[in-house]
């Protein structure tokens, strides 16, 4: 694939710093979210053609290869670029959207009418989850800092909790699902908001099995996997106007250092995207 844009994810600088490697060996090219045009197709690939605009995850499963002019992707890890959006917006979708989708639907089995608490609701993954949950018909409660209240409400949140001024576990009770994108102490306290039999899904570290047992709930960590069928479902939501892509900053690849520094603050609203071609 000829890469036009690639998203920055926290896993990029975690791999760079040696904190996480996922079996990868240095040196390597970072970047897992890609959007661009197909340069060549394998002999067994029938559903894509040269020159087609697509987006998805790199052949490594989304952990590396995207910060480059060209990248490899498997046919079952990409989908046609949604109509009406650019390559920059498309690149911001795959890992964040699939992480949110697989957490709240595949793991927690969220359904319409249920109550869900989403921590870090203004971030790249959290902002996707708010919109998915709302599209499903759930009652959505989001946490973020006060400056992001209107942003989170505009995504569709029914309630908002400013974690800087109040303890969300005191304000929120008896939810069916928690989707935690923050981890640490936030994740520990989030258990207190669940009703018996509820589910805590997280993209931010392995949850405590003992804590889940004591609280009478289930808990699991999502390991995002490429899924072309889910990307196509996400395309449908975009086409129906039920999912909007929010980008904090677009920078050229030459400013990748600045992009990583911004990502590491943990205060971005939506995604950071690098342009290449």
């Amino acid at each position: 694939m000829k890469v036009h844009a690639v998203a920055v994810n926290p896993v990029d600088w975690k791999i760079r710093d040696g904190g996480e490697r996922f079996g990868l060996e240095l040196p390597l090219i970072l970047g897992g979210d890609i959007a661009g045009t197909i340069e060549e197709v394998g002999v067994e690939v029938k559903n894509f053609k040269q020159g087609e605009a697509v987006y998805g995850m790199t052949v490594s499963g989304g952990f590396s290869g995207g910060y480059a002019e060209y990248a490899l992707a498997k046919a079952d890890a990409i989908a046609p670029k949604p109509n009406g959006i650019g390559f920059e917006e498309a690149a911001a979708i795959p890992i964040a959207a699939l992480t949110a989708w697989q957490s709240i639907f595949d793991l927690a089995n969220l359904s319409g009418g249920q109550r869900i608490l989403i921590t870090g609701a203004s971030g790249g993954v959290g902002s996707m989850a708010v919109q998915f949950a709302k599209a499903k018909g759930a009652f959505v409660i989001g946490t973020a800092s006060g400056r992001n209240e209107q942003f989170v409400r505009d995504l569709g949140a029914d309630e908002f909790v400013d974690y800087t001024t109040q303890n969300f576990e005191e304000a929120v009770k008896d939810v069916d699902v928690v989707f935690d994108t923050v981890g640490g102490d936030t994740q520990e306290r989030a258990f207190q908001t669940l009703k018996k039999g509820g589910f805590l899904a997280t993209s931010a570290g392995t949850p405590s099995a003992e804590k889940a047992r004591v609280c009478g709930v289930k808990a699991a960590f999502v390991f995002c996997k490429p899924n072309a069928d889910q990307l196509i479902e996400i395309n449908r939501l975009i086409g129906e106007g039920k999912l909007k892509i929010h980008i904090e900053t677009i920078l050229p690849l030459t400013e990748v250092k600045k992009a990583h520094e911004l990502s590491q603050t943990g205060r971005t609203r939506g995604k950071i995207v690098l342009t290449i071609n």
Side-chain angles (χ1 to χ4, degrees), residues 152-171:
V152 173
R153 288 189 180 277
D154 287 345
L155 293 172
D158 298 285
E159 287 185 12
F160 177 85
V161 180
D162 180 354
Y163 74 86
T164 68
T165 61
Q166 62 184 135
N167 295 323
F168 69 85
E169 72 274 18
E170 296 175 1

Side-chain angles (χ1 to χ4, degrees), residues 220-234:
F221 170 75
V222 64
F223 192 85
C224 178
K225 298 177 181 179
N227 191 309
D229 291 338
Q230 290 176 351
L231 289 177
I232 290 170
E233 278 295 299
I234 290 164

Side-chain angles (χ1 to χ4, degrees), residues 39-53:
E39 189 75 8
E40 294 183 12
V41 295
V43 293
E44 297 182 358
V45 176
K46 307 300 182 185
N47 54 332
F48 293 104
K49 61 182 184 296
Q50 187 176 20
E52 186 173 356

Side-chain angles (χ1 to χ4, degrees), residues 240-252:
E240 294 174 354
K242 295 179 180 178
L243 179 68
K244 295 181 180 179
I245 314 306
H246 298 273
I247 297 177
E248 171 86 7
T249 305
I250 298 174
L251 296 167

